[in-house]
């Protein structure tokens, strides 16, 4: 999964930070965007589970969640395992 941010449009509200179940998002206190706000950033891209809670919560739609092919395969494998467990 890959997250991208349109940081120049971020108003630093922090709504996305609060909903990330893996606690991977933070406001970049060392950066100020064109609007004068601290934009959001991800701390560990590889740990993102692609739930898209952050993108859903963002009032300005600045977050894009892209599922990589590996993420799609992992999701499909998980569904197969879950179906297998239901049959037992």
């Amino acid at each position: 999964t890959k997250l991208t941010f349109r940081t120049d449009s971020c108003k630093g509200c922090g709504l996305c930070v609060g909903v990330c179940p893996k606690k991977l998002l933070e406001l970049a206190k060392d950066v100020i965007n064109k609007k004068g706000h601290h934009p959001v950033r991800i701390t560990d891209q590889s740990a993102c589970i692609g739930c898209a809670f952050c993108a859903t919560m963002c009032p300005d739609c600045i977050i894009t969640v892209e599922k990589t092919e590996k993420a799609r395969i992992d999701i499909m494998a998980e569904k197969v395992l879950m179906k297998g467990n239901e049959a037992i």
Side-chain angles (χ1 to χ4, degrees):
T1 304
K2 180 183 176 190
L3 291 186
T4 53
F5 308 94
R6 289 185 299 115
T7 55
D8 283 344
S9 298
C10 181
K11 62 185 175 191
C13 68
L15 291 173
C16 58
V17 174
V19 297
C20 178
K22 299 295 248 173
K23 307 296 182 213
L24 299 174
L25 302 179
E26 66 181 13
L27 296 180
K29 296 296 181 186
D30 58 335
V31 177
I32 296 179
N33 65 14
K34 291 179 183 177
K35 291 186 172 189
H37 303 290
H38 298 288
V40 67
R41 68 177 163 208
I42 189 163
T43 58
D44 184 359
Q45 189 81 247
S46 65
C48 177
I49 60 173
C51 67
F53 290 167
C54 57
T56 302
M57 285 301 293
C58 182
D60 297 315
C61 302
I62 67 129
I63 303 170
T64 302
V65 180
E66 298 175 60
K67 303 258 185 190
T68 61
E69 188 60 31
K70 182 185 178 322
R72 287 187 189 108
I73 291 169
D74 290 346
I75 290 167
M76 288 172 45
E78 187 175 306
K79 286 180 180 179
V80 168
L81 287 174
M82 288 174 64
K83 277 192 170 193
N85 287 339
E86 289 173 4
I88 295 173

